[in-house]
Each structure stands twice: as structure tokens, then as C-alpha cells.
Amino acid sequence: MRPLRLLATILAAATLAACQSQPTVTKIVDGDTLDVDRDGETVRVRLLNIDTPEKGECLYQEATDRLIELAPPGTRVRLEHDQEREDRYGRELAAVFAGDVFVNEQLAAEGLARAVAYEPNHAYTTRMEAAQARARAAHLGIHAVPTECLLPTETARRALELHAEDPAHRAFYRDVMRDAVTATNTFTYKDQALEFIDALD
């Protein structure tokens, strides 16, 4: 009987230790960034292989709210890492699992994040791209935003209006729109915007 009790005690202690070392979400920063408490230390985590809209862009708040739903403060999460553990801002790069939910993949599958690949981190690239493809096929989230979301500045939006009104100078107005998009380095909708501009008559 004693060996069984000893085994039960060891298993219970191991389970408790695993739970205690598992990070706990303390704050949602935005759609692809959260803070966790790990052994008393606050660690900022950037979700690996995805990118959600920046503040001021369409669907920023929706992506942030969805991350709050998937991993609200108090949630214990599992973090898995790729080859590069931190980004240049000192944030920990991780695949985040809340229970059975792979949070990074879920956001991409719902069209609230786009798949991104930054070498040498590519362990989850295929899954993110597959999730993104499903969202695009279903016209979800960032894959179905209105035209005004695709132009990041008021100048670009005005150029679109003038493009319709002034056929003689359409090439010029397309260049204005293109320049505005390419100059906005962190613009989530850059690829979609350039496709939209190139398709204009």
C-alpha cells in the first residue's frame, strides 16, 4: 500500500509543480501581444507567425477583443517556441495554447490575423498559412474589409476619389495611393491595398 501512496504523492506533486510553472495571462496588449506571469515575473509575449491589425486600422479592436475571449487574464497557457525566442523589442515569441485551443492559429482562421514568416522561425508557418487560406476562402475578417480600410491616409483616400473624377490623370492618382501604402511600414492591409490599386482601371 505504501508504494501506491508514494506514487500518488509523487504524481500529485509533479502535477502541482507543472501548474505552478505554467504561465498565467495577466494582460491583453493587442490582438497579437499579451503579458503573462511566469514564476512571479511579467513576460511580454508576441504571438508567433501572425500579425493582427495595428491600432487605428480596421479590425484592430475586434482582434484584441477576440484574444481577450480566447485567453482572458487568469488563463493558464502553454508557450511553445521556435528557433528565435525573442524579437528585436525583447518580446518573447511563442505559439500560445489555451487548453486545446492554438490561439495563433484560431485568430488566423477567423480572419483576424494574417500569416507572417520571419526567418528562422518557420515551425508553425504551414499551419498559419493554411488557417489564413481558409479565412480568405470564406471572406472572413481582414479578407473582406471595405475599400476605405485599404488606404491608410486621407491623401490616399482623396486620390481614390479623384481617380474616379479625373480620368486623364488616373495614373498619377494610382501612384499617390501606391506611395501612401508602401510608405506605411506596418500597414496590415498592404498586399491587399496594392492589389486593389493595381486592379483599378
XYZ file of all heavy atoms in Angstrom, residues 29-71:
338
model
N -2.510 42.992 -24.545
C -1.978 44.268 -25.025
C -2.669 44.689 -26.309
O -3.114 45.823 -26.460
C -0.453 44.167 -25.241
C 0.110 45.481 -25.774
C 0.239 43.781 -23.935
N -2.756 43.766 -27.259
C -3.483 43.991 -28.509
C -3.784 42.618 -29.098
O -3.702 41.614 -28.401
C -2.706 44.902 -29.478
C -1.316 44.378 -29.820
O -1.090 43.147 -29.750
O -0.442 45.191 -30.166
N -4.118 42.564 -30.377
C -4.547 41.298 -30.960
C -3.498 40.217 -31.049
O -3.845 39.036 -31.174
N -2.220 40.586 -31.012
C -1.178 39.564 -31.123
C -0.108 39.663 -30.026
O 0.978 39.105 -30.161
C -0.513 39.606 -32.505
C 0.014 40.988 -32.865
O 0.429 41.733 -31.958
O 0.008 41.335 -34.066
N -0.439 40.351 -28.949
C 0.522 40.523 -27.857
C -0.191 40.429 -26.510
O -1.269 41.000 -26.336
C 1.234 41.889 -27.952
O 1.727 42.080 -29.281
C 2.390 41.983 -26.972
N 0.426 39.707 -25.583
C -0.148 39.607 -24.240
C 0.976 39.525 -23.212
O 2.129 39.254 -23.556
C -1.088 38.399 -24.127
C -0.615 37.026 -24.612
C 0.286 36.359 -23.590
C -1.805 36.129 -24.898
N 0.623 39.802 -21.972
C 1.559 39.663 -20.855
C 1.180 38.432 -20.057
O -0.007 38.144 -19.861
C 1.507 40.884 -19.932
C 2.132 42.129 -20.558
O 2.847 42.007 -21.572
O 1.900 43.232 -20.015
N 2.199 37.710 -19.602
C 1.957 36.570 -18.725
C 2.829 36.685 -17.490
O 3.874 37.350 -17.500
C 2.264 35.220 -19.435
C 1.402 35.040 -20.667
C 3.748 35.092 -19.778
N 2.374 36.058 -16.432
C 3.176 35.924 -15.214
C 3.788 34.536 -15.237
O 3.081 33.535 -15.299
C 2.307 36.099 -13.971
C 3.119 35.926 -12.692
O 3.322 34.759 -12.293
O 3.564 36.920 -12.117
N 5.106 34.493 -15.192
C 5.806 33.219 -15.152
C 6.739 33.227 -13.957
O 7.718 33.975 -13.925
C 6.592 32.985 -16.446
C 7.291 31.621 -16.466
C 7.819 31.274 -17.843
N 8.691 32.310 -18.331
C 8.854 32.591 -19.628
N 8.169 31.932 -20.539
N 9.686 33.539 -19.997
N 6.363 32.450 -12.955
C 7.159 32.350 -11.733
C 7.417 33.718 -11.109
O 8.526 34.029 -10.676
C 8.489 31.641 -12.019
C 8.289 30.231 -12.552
O 7.324 29.573 -12.111
O 9.076 29.791 -13.410
N 6.379 34.566 -11.101
C 6.485 35.871 -10.473
C 7.055 36.968 -11.351
O 7.137 38.123 -10.927
N 7.414 36.628 -12.574
C 7.982 37.617 -13.497
C 6.992 37.899 -14.624
O 6.402 36.978 -15.195
C 9.289 37.094 -14.091
C 9.923 38.033 -15.107
C 11.113 37.423 -15.818
O 11.441 36.253 -15.543
O 11.706 38.115 -16.657
N 6.789 39.188 -14.948
C 5.924 39.551 -16.057
C 6.708 39.460 -17.360
O 7.770 40.067 -17.503
C 5.369 40.978 -15.883
O 4.558 41.025 -14.704
C 4.519 41.382 -17.088
N 6.177 38.681 -18.284
C 6.824 38.466 -19.577
C 5.864 38.896 -20.675
O 4.704 38.483 -20.691
C 7.202 36.983 -19.769
C 7.829 36.750 -21.140
C 8.137 36.526 -18.658
N 6.339 39.743 -21.591
C 5.517 40.148 -22.735
C 5.721 39.140 -23.863
O 6.840 38.840 -24.268
C 5.873 41.555 -23.201
C 5.036 42.022 -24.381
C 4.756 43.500 -24.345
N 3.881 43.854 -23.214
C 3.457 45.087 -22.960
N 3.831 46.086 -23.753
N 2.663 45.333 -21.933
N 4.616 38.604 -24.377
C 4.656 37.552 -25.390
C 4.031 38.047 -26.685
O 2.912 38.559 -26.699
C 3.901 36.291 -24.905
C 3.895 35.217 -25.990
C 4.531 35.761 -23.618
N 4.769 37.888 -27.765
C 4.280 38.211 -29.118
C 3.925 36.897 -29.793
O 4.745 35.992 -29.879
C 5.382 38.948 -29.887
C 5.052 39.237 -31.356
C 3.920 40.244 -31.463
N 3.825 40.793 -32.794
C 3.356 40.174 -33.870
N 2.929 38.922 -33.773
N 3.302 40.780 -35.034
N 2.675 36.780 -30.244
C 2.225 35.544 -30.868
C 2.992 35.303 -32.167
O 3.059 36.176 -33.039
C 0.719 35.580 -31.134
C -0.169 35.173 -29.949
C -0.034 36.132 -28.785
C -1.627 35.080 -30.375
N 3.536 34.126 -32.285
C 4.432 33.756 -33.365
C 3.676 33.516 -34.671
O 2.596 32.929 -34.685
C 5.169 32.477 -32.946
C 6.395 32.004 -33.702
C 7.488 33.070 -33.673
C 6.908 30.727 -33.057
N 4.273 33.988 -35.771
C 3.805 33.699 -37.134
C 2.449 34.290 -37.499
O 1.823 33.847 -38.465
C 3.789 32.189 -37.403
C 5.183 31.618 -37.527
O 5.462 30.563 -36.972
N 6.080 32.292 -38.228
N 1.980 35.287 -36.728
C 0.777 36.013 -37.143
C 0.982 37.507 -36.909
O 1.878 37.918 -36.169
C -0.499 35.560 -36.396
C -0.406 35.865 -34.899
C -0.816 34.101 -36.673
C -1.744 35.750 -34.177
N 0.134 38.293 -37.550
C 0.143 39.744 -37.362
C -1.295 40.220 -37.420
O -2.018 39.904 -38.370
C 0.979 40.409 -38.466
C 1.191 41.889 -38.212
O 1.327 42.278 -37.034
O 1.207 42.671 -39.181
N -1.730 40.947 -36.410
C -3.091 41.474 -36.386
C -3.069 42.973 -36.677
O -2.015 43.607 -36.588
C -3.753 41.217 -35.014
O -2.980 41.860 -33.993
C -3.854 39.728 -34.723
N -4.213 43.558 -37.042
C -4.243 44.982 -37.362
C -3.699 45.866 -36.246
O -3.886 45.594 -35.061
C -5.732 45.238 -37.611
C -6.246 43.918 -38.095
C -5.507 42.904 -37.280
N -3.013 46.931 -36.675
C -2.445 47.892 -35.740
C -3.522 48.845 -35.233
O -4.584 48.987 -35.850
C -1.336 48.705 -36.422
C -0.209 47.870 -36.997
C 0.604 47.165 -35.936
O 0.688 47.682 -34.804
O 1.159 46.089 -36.236
N -3.235 49.523 -34.147
C -4.184 50.482 -33.587
C -4.505 51.550 -34.620
O -3.619 52.081 -35.286
C -3.606 51.143 -32.334
C -4.632 51.917 -31.533
C -4.103 52.274 -30.162
C -5.198 52.891 -29.303
N -4.715 53.194 -27.939
N -5.783 51.845 -34.808
C -6.216 52.812 -35.800
C -6.635 52.167 -37.108
O -7.256 52.818 -37.951
N -6.309 50.883 -37.292
C -6.698 50.179 -38.503
C -8.002 49.422 -38.283
O -8.390 49.126 -37.150
C -5.608 49.179 -38.920
C -4.311 49.814 -39.347
C -3.272 48.791 -39.771
O -3.492 47.560 -39.594
O -2.217 49.218 -40.264
N -8.654 49.098 -39.396
C -9.879 48.304 -39.318
C -9.601 46.950 -38.672
O -8.580 46.314 -38.957
C -10.448 48.088 -40.718
S -11.012 49.600 -41.519
N -10.493 46.525 -37.804
C -10.482 45.248 -37.095
C -9.431 45.153 -35.986
O -9.233 44.083 -35.417
C -10.322 44.066 -38.063
C -11.460 43.894 -39.085
C -11.218 42.664 -39.940
C -12.815 43.809 -38.406
N -8.787 46.265 -35.656
C -7.860 46.252 -34.514
C -8.591 45.838 -33.240
O -8.147 44.946 -32.514
C -7.226 47.632 -34.328
C -6.553 47.800 -32.979
C -5.253 47.343 -32.765
C -7.219 48.402 -31.907
C -4.639 47.467 -31.517
C -6.613 48.531 -30.662
C -5.324 48.070 -30.474
O -4.725 48.191 -29.246
N -9.705 46.502 -32.958
C -10.411 46.231 -31.709
C -11.012 44.833 -31.702
O -11.010 44.145 -30.676
C -11.508 47.272 -31.474
C -12.060 47.253 -30.062
C -10.977 47.507 -29.005
O -10.242 48.482 -29.087
N -10.876 46.610 -28.018
N -11.507 44.400 -32.863
C -12.097 43.061 -32.945
C -11.051 41.982 -32.663
O -11.335 41.004 -31.970
C -12.715 42.845 -34.330
C -13.987 43.633 -34.581
C -13.748 45.066 -35.043
O -12.603 45.558 -34.947
O -14.717 45.701 -35.494
N -9.843 42.158 -33.197
C -8.777 41.181 -32.945
C -8.372 41.178 -31.471
O -8.162 40.119 -30.868
C -7.570 41.486 -33.827
N -8.285 42.379 -30.891
C -7.928 42.491 -29.476
C -8.990 41.835 -28.597
O -8.674 41.070 -27.676
C -7.747 43.970 -29.088
O -6.745 44.555 -29.923
C -7.341 44.106 -27.630
N -10.253 42.131 -28.894
C -11.350 41.554 -28.114
C -11.380 40.027 -28.238
O -11.674 39.317 -27.265
C -12.693 42.127 -28.573
C -12.864 43.592 -28.192
O -12.095 44.095 -27.341
O -13.766 44.245 -28.764
N -11.066 39.523 -29.421
C -11.096 38.072 -29.616
C -9.973 37.397 -28.827
O -10.174 36.314 -28.256
C -10.976 37.738 -31.101
C -11.086 36.242 -31.418
C -12.399 35.675 -30.930
N -12.562 34.284 -31.320
C -13.086 33.340 -30.547
N -13.507 33.638 -29.311
N -13.205 32.106 -30.993
N -8.805 38.035 -28.765
C -7.724 37.467 -27.966
C -8.110 37.451 -26.487
O -7.793 36.496 -25.765
C -6.426 38.249 -28.180
C -5.189 37.705 -27.446
C -4.952 36.233 -27.755
C -3.958 38.531 -27.795
N -8.821 38.478 -26.050
C -9.315 38.501 -24.664
C -10.254 37.324 -24.416
O -10.225 36.687 -23.357
C -10.023 39.834 -24.351
C -9.015 40.983 -24.357
C -10.753 39.770 -23.013
C -9.645 42.359 -24.267
N -11.090 36.999 -25.417
C -12.012 35.860 -25.273
C -11.266 34.528 -25.257
O -11.611 33.621 -24.496
C -13.021 35.856 -26.422
C -14.007 37.002 -26.398
C -14.909 37.023 -27.615
O -14.729 36.194 -28.534
O -15.800 37.885 -27.662
N -10.242 34.411 -26.095
C -9.516 33.151 -26.206
C -8.585 32.897 -25.020
O -8.386 31.747 -24.618
C -8.698 33.130 -27.504
C -9.497 33.081 -28.805
C -8.581 33.333 -29.998
C -10.208 31.736 -28.956
N -8.009 33.974 -24.488
C -7.050 33.830 -23.378
C -7.213 34.979 -22.399
O -6.336 35.829 -22.266
C -5.626 33.787 -23.926
